Amino acid sequence: MSHPTPPAATNFLRQIIEADLERGRYQGKRWAGRPGPAAVQAQGEPDPARIRTRFPPEPNGYLHIGHAKSICLNFGLARDYGGVCHLRFDDTNPEKENQEYVDAITEAVSWLGFDWQADGRDNRYFASDYFGYMYEFAEALVMAGHAYVDEQSAEQTRINRGTLTEPGVDSPWRNRPAEESLARLREMREGQHPDGSLVLRARIDMASPNMNLRDPVLYRIRHAHHHRSGDQWCIYPMYAYAHPIEDALEGITHSICTLEFEDQRPFYDWVLARLTELGKLAEPLPRQYEFARLNLTYIVTSKRKLLQLVQEGHVQGWDDPRMPTLLGLRRRGYTPASIRLFCDRTGVSKSDSRIDYSLLEQAVRDDLDPIAARSVAVLQPLKLVITNYPEGRSETCTAPRNPHDPQAGQREFPFSRELWIERDDFMEVPPKKYFRLYPGNSVRLKYGYVVTCTGCVKDENGEVVEVHAEYLPDTKSGTPGADSVKVKGNITWISAAHAVPAQIRLYDRLFAQPHPDGGERNFLDALNPDSIKVVQGWLEPGTRAEPGAVWQFERLGYFTADRELSTVERPVLNRTATLRDSWADRG
């Protein structure tokens, strides 16, 4: 395994890792090529990975932009420091997890540009594969006096746990003999007791100021079918107990969590210390570090609230382009590189803060600008007739495919008598400093001719349905006469006879308030009624809308052919981002 030179430390996690590597904290760690307890790892070779991190999602929902931060951080640190990052599914809650989410998460992490292969091994793991070890360790904790089976009701347990200012009260079962607790635990394991009737608890300190150390639950009874282990188990470990064990079995060195797990760290360390004393785990042990999760304005990331949006029909599914899920962002047109760029720009901190949504939009602009093909679309079409241009005639105009890439060459498109222009490019009575079409004014049709507006045609309701103009034959762009007439206005256009019809979906932010779930408000009250507008527009000929294709439409922004609905014959386009932050203008 290569050991690339890491970049200069730019955050506290990099500083920790570099200090650990310098002092050789994990130099003696062994790796058997698969997860396992001390006896298994003792048979392994020195670990070729300098560090091991993990991304540990629970397969009970779809990944969102907040998860992307953790993915980029864990996989990125492993990459930069000659390590390995594991993809581990924390599937310890059978009632909420299924294979659909496992598949979706796996695909999303891969789409973001990361993989979990190293030294010819597939480092994708499941907590459920460790249930046997977790139960073995639980029995060892019971026999060592570190755990007991409690028979209080859930309400009694809650009351006796105490408060932040009052110590807890010992369970009447706390000091039962170890053999008795072990017998009860085995009865739980064999399915002899109903859900909620018994739990296995750690024996730590009911007076601890940290509520997480007041004899936390290790196992609970759940007669539920598991998507991987089936009906093999009817007791399942709590996440706080399973998490440190999973890390240790996999040889994780740096267990990076979000700040809400900071209060759980003492219990994390307690579990590892007790199991190491019992010979189940070997040093060096994993260490947990916390960073601030990604909080983004104008979105919600609560799984419950996202599920509510889907189930109540406020969006059209988990991949709705307005959703903050990676599925939705991908369908809207966000690229893996843009999301990685965004995560990098937000940095790593120990302090919670809100990142403005505009930073995400700017990341996709910065990623697409150098690579997106240019084209023209007309979203609110108005007919422009060049009255002195011959009927039935057309000629070719050219423009760069991408001004940042001269090697991409030129694109060609026809000019003809009848054109489509944007409706707001004409005003019969314009305000001051309006430089587009109005009677008597001249503008350049971009990449085409200078034209002078001669009037318009209205329908019976007084609405303008057609604009008339005359072109100046010697002013075509790219010819010697192009600069012979100076104009202030420059508008885009498409030949009406050659234009490609398309359904264009103008997506905007799903919520109109920056903190939709802040305070006591119902987050649904903050929904943006204009988060989607569907228009029938026209595309420049030659714009082939294969699913996933992306363009910068001049003056309009970045657009992507919908991955589910678009075809070459019937284009459906999603607006990924405008050319500039339109929300900044709203004040």
Side-chain angles (χ1 to χ4, degrees):
M1 175 175 295
S2 62
H3 295 168
T5 302
T10 55
N11 60 61
F12 75 97
L13 290 174
R14 289 186 179 274
Q15 293 170 351
I16 289 169
I17 292 171
E18 289 173 7
D20 287 344
L21 293 176
E22 185 175 352
R23 69 170 62 103
R25 181 186 296 278
Y26 297 100
Q27 199 163 1
K29 188 168 72 71
R30 307 183 79 81
W31 174 244
R34 60 185 175 87
V40 170
Q41 299 307 337
Q43 302 170 19
E45 300 293 328
D47 194 344
R50 299 176 80 200
I51 67 170
R52 285 186 186 267
T53 60
R54 82 289 173 273
F55 173 61
E58 182 181 1
N60 66 347
Y62 292 91
L63 299 185
H64 54 63
I65 187 64
H67 294 113
K69 175 81 171 197
S70 181
I71 295 169
C72 293
L73 182 60
N74 280 286
F75 280 93
L77 289 172
R79 174 200 62 214
D80 291 346
Y81 291 98
V84 174
C85 183
H86 298 181
L87 175 60
R88 178 212 301 149
F89 290 94
D90 268 313
D91 55 346
T92 59
N93 189 354
E95 295 164 313
K96 295 183 178 180
E97 302 158 351
N98 62 54
Q99 188 63 38
E100 174 190 353
Y101 296 133
V102 171
D103 295 341
I105 290 170
T106 301
E107 181 181 359
V109 176
S110 179
W111 173 73
L112 268 182
F114 300 105
D115 72 76
W116 39 93
Q117 310 292 323
D119 301 313
R121 292 188 171 88
D122 185 344
N123 293 288
R124 188 179 81 148
Y125 302 114
F126 293 84
S128 55
D129 291 340
Y130 311 144
F131 282 168
Y133 289 133
M134 292 176 190
Y135 179 78
E136 173 192 330
F137 296 170
E139 286 202 353
L141 290 172
V142 169
M143 293 309 297
H146 296 312
Y148 62 97
V149 171
D150 192 359
E151 299 187 32
Q152 295 180 98
S153 68
E155 180 64 13
Q156 289 172 324
T157 300
R158 185 189 65 78
I159 293 172
N160 290 337
R161 194 166 179 241
T163 67
L164 292 174
T165 57
E166 298 177 347
V169 176
D170 286 358
S171 164
W173 310 100
R174 193 174 196 268
N175 295 314
R176 71 195 313 174
E179 292 78 7
E180 187 178 313
S181 275
L182 182 63
R184 280 295 208 219
L185 177 60
R186 288 176 175 173
E187 290 172 7
M188 291 168 60
R189 166 73 178 86
E190 292 165 7
Q192 298 181 23
H193 298 279
D195 289 2
S197 58
L198 306 174
V199 294
L200 178 68
R201 296 177 71 178
R203 183 185 284 108
I204 305 180
D205 182 4
M206 289 299 294
S208 173
N210 185 335
M211 300 284 283
N212 296 296
L213 294 179
R214 294 183 185 178
D215 292 9
V217 173
L218 306 182
Y219 267 93
R220 78 284 200 203
I221 301 172
R222 286 288 184 276
H223 290 83
H225 184 82
H226 191 279
H227 73 102
R228 281 179 60 85
S229 61
D231 298 320
Q232 180 181 356
W233 296 90
C234 60
I235 60 171
Y236 291 94
M238 301 298 290
Y239 177 79
Y241 170 67
H243 175 215
I245 293 175
E246 296 160 22
D247 284 347
L249 293 175
E250 293 181 18
I252 301 302
T253 58
H254 300 81
S255 181
I256 301 169
C257 306
T258 45
L259 278 178
E260 63 262 35
F261 293 98
E262 188 171 25
D263 288 343
Q264 289 281 3
R265 193 196 321 151
F267 181 55
Y268 180 99
D269 294 338
W270 183 92
V271 171
L272 295 180
R274 299 294 80 77
L275 293 176
T276 302
E277 293 167 358
L278 295 172
K280 301 299 182 181
L281 301 175
E283 294 182 318
L285 295 169
R287 294 196 174 194
Q288 178 177 304
Y289 304 95
E290 303 85 22
F291 71 102
R293 70 187 303 165
L294 177 64
N295 296 306
L296 198 61
T297 59
Y298 296 99
I299 68 168
V300 297
T301 54
S302 158
K303 289 181 179 178
R304 177 183 61 81
K305 291 175 181 176
L306 293 176
L307 181 62
Q308 186 177 349
L309 288 171
V310 173
Q311 290 182 334
E312 294 182 2
H314 301 290
V315 295
Q316 296 176 352
W318 291 100
D319 65 345
D320 187 301
R322 294 166 293 176
M323 288 281 275
T325 57
L326 295 185
L327 279 176
L329 290 168
R330 181 185 186 186
R331 189 170 177 186
R332 183 159 175 168
Y334 278 79
T335 60
S338 68
I339 294 175
R340 296 195 303 267
L341 177 62
F342 167 72
C343 291
D344 183 59
R345 286 176 173 175
T346 57
V348 179
S349 170
K350 290 279 285 186
S351 302
D352 278 323
S353 62
R354 285 270 185 177
I355 304 297
D356 195 87
Y357 192 88
S358 62
L359 192 61
L360 176 61
E361 293 175 318
Q362 190 57 46
V364 76
R365 292 187 194 104
D366 290 344
D367 178 52
L368 292 179
D369 182 52
I371 61 175
R374 271 39 174 188
S375 189
V376 170
V378 174
L379 307 187
Q380 302 292 338
L382 177 63
K383 181 70 67 69
L384 172 64
V385 179
I386 312 300
T387 55
N388 63 335
Y389 194 86
E391 290 190 31
R393 176 183 161 190
S394 67
E395 60 186 284
T396 300
C397 295
T398 62
R401 293 187 187 278
N402 187 319
H404 299 290
D405 182 11
Q407 305 226 344
Q410 300 283 305
R411 66 185 201 268
E412 297 183 345
F413 44 91
F415 179 88
S416 62
R417 177 183 172 89
E418 296 188 355
L419 311 174
W420 291 119
I421 62 171
E422 289 289 350
R423 181 164 291 275
D424 61 7
D425 282 342
F426 171 80
M427 295 187 73
E428 193 173 12
V429 183
K432 290 183 178 180
K433 296 187 178 180
Y434 182 86
F435 299 123
R436 287 168 276 176
L437 281 173
Y438 58 87
N441 192 46
S442 297
V443 302
R444 176 170 292 281
L445 300 177
K446 195 171 184 182
Y447 310 120
Y449 292 96
V450 172
V451 299
T452 301
C453 182
T454 57
C456 63
V457 177
K458 301 179 183 180
D459 64 14
E460 61 274 13
N461 298 317
E463 182 178 354
V464 175
V465 294
E466 193 172 281
V467 177
H468 289 177
E470 294 182 352
Y471 84 115
L472 281 63
D474 296 329
T475 60
K476 186 178 181 182
S477 294
T479 67
D483 296 328
S484 61
V485 178
K486 301 296 184 183
V487 293
K488 293 183 177 180
N490 198 325
I491 67 173
T492 51
W493 54 274
I494 301 173
S495 170
H498 305 86
V500 177
Q503 182 187 97
I504 302 176
R505 300 179 171 196
L506 303 175
Y507 288 107
D508 208 332
R509 300 179 188 183
L510 184 57
F511 293 96
Q513 300 294 326
H515 309 297
D517 51 356
E520 299 298 321
R521 76 163 61 97
N522 180 350
F523 77 106
L524 295 177
D525 293 338
L527 283 168
N528 178 11
D530 297 319
S531 63
I532 178 175
K533 294 180 181 177
V534 180
V535 301
Q536 297 298 319
W538 298 95
L539 309 180
E540 180 182 296
T543 306
R544 292 180 58 82
E546 290 96 347
V550 61
W551 305 269
Q552 184 197 105
F553 289 140
E554 300 189 27
R555 298 174 57 201
L556 298 177
Y558 297 93
F559 290 74
T560 299
D562 190 274
R563 293 179 176 276
E564 301 297 325
L565 303 174
S566 187
T567 65
V568 173
E569 295 77 21
R570 301 187 64 173
V572 178
L573 273 54
N574 300 328
R575 182 170 65 189
T576 305
T578 54
L579 288 178
R580 58 193 297 269
D581 182 10
S582 59
W583 282 71
D585 301 329
R586 305 179 198 185

